[in-house]
């Protein structure tokens, strides 16, 4: 399955690094938005932006409240475990 995904999405070592850097920048942007103590990404109430971000990052961050199937940290490949800890 990995081979098919890599071929279909044209994943290379270079594109993987580029994508990871984009993800890190996104997390930095969200952190900057929330650093002032606000609770929501947009406006003063829970919105589609909050639920979308939460849904997209939950599988990698695996917060305790996440109800889906997750891997334990020791089940992640070493490189991915490091990325997960950095993003958390």
């Amino acid at each position: 399955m990995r081979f098919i995904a890599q071929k279909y999405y044209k994943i290379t070592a270079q594109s993987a690094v580029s994508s990871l850097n984009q993800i890190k920048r996104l997390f930095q942007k969200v952190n900057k938005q929330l650093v002032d103590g606000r609770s929501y990404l947009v406006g003063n109430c829970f919105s589609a932006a909050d639920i979308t971000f939460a849904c997209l990052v939950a599988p990698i961050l695996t917060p305790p409240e996440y109800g889906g199937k997750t891997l334990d940290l020791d089940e992640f490949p070493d490189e991915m475990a490091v990325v997960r800890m950095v993003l958390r």
Side-chain angles (χ1 to χ4, degrees), residues 6-76:
Q6 287 174 332
K7 184 174 179 172
Y8 181 79
Y9 292 109
K10 299 179 176 94
I11 298 170
T12 64
Q14 184 178 357
S15 70
V17 168
S18 176
S19 293
L20 179 57
N21 287 334
Q22 287 178 330
I23 291 167
K24 287 178 180 178
R25 284 193 300 274
L26 174 63
F27 271 74
Q28 289 170 349
K29 183 177 179 180
V30 169
N31 283 338
K32 284 180 185 177
Q33 276 187 262
L34 300 177
V35 75
D36 63 3
R38 72 179 73 194
S39 298
Y40 308 106
L41 292 173
V42 179
N44 296 320
C45 63
F46 190 71
S47 70
D50 301 294
I51 192 76
T52 301
F53 185 75
C55 288
L56 291 173
V57 302
I60 187 65
L61 298 185
T62 59
E65 305 83 7
Y66 185 64
K69 170 139 176 44
T70 63
L71 297 174
D72 291 327
L73 187 56
D74 59 343
E75 294 179 273
F76 278 82

